[in-house]
Amino acid sequence: MTSPLVKIESHPQSAKRLIGINYEQFIRLVALAEQRHKQKQTEIEKNKVRIIASGGGRKPKMSPKEGICLCLVYLRKKNQLLIF
């Protein structure tokens, strides 16, 4: 099974059907989410006492763009089930 993000990026016109918003809105949403995430991380880093060096730990398996796409697909499918 292919990722919904791969389908959306290869066929941007199908974004509305898969996630409920068009491709341009999705790209803007991802940019805003990444910006907000960076702001929150800088706020957290100001007050954090480090035991492990910065950059240590497990790397995420999913990019923020993939995570947002999967959340939108999930919410769209869940909403469709509630309607019927």
Side-chain angles (χ1 to χ4, degrees):
M1 183 175 169
T2 61
S3 167
L5 182 61
V6 172
K7 288 183 180 182
I8 290 171
E9 288 181 337
S10 61
H11 303 288
Q13 67 276 10
S14 68
K16 181 81 171 176
R17 180 180 55 85
L18 289 172
I19 58 176
I21 58 176
N22 63 31
Y23 186 70
E24 291 78 24
Q25 291 173 328
F26 174 68
I27 296 300
R28 285 190 300 224
L29 178 66
V30 169
L32 288 172
E34 287 176 343
Q35 179 185 13
R36 180 66 179 140
H37 178 71
K38 287 178 186 176
Q39 289 173 352
K40 290 294 280 183
Q41 286 302 107
T42 55
E43 290 174 12
I44 291 170
E45 289 295 323
K46 287 179 187 176
N47 300 326
K48 192 173 193 177
V49 177
R50 286 214 162 263
I51 297 173
I52 300 174
S54 178
R58 180 177 284 199
K59 303 297 180 210
K61 292 183 179 182
M62 188 181 312
S63 72
K65 193 174 187 179
E66 288 174 319
I68 292 169
C69 181
L70 286 177
C71 285
L72 290 172
V73 169
Y74 173 77
L75 291 172
R76 179 137 173 109
K77 295 297 179 187
K78 184 175 181 179
N79 191 24
Q80 287 176 352
L81 291 175
L82 292 175
I83 292 173
F84 294 113

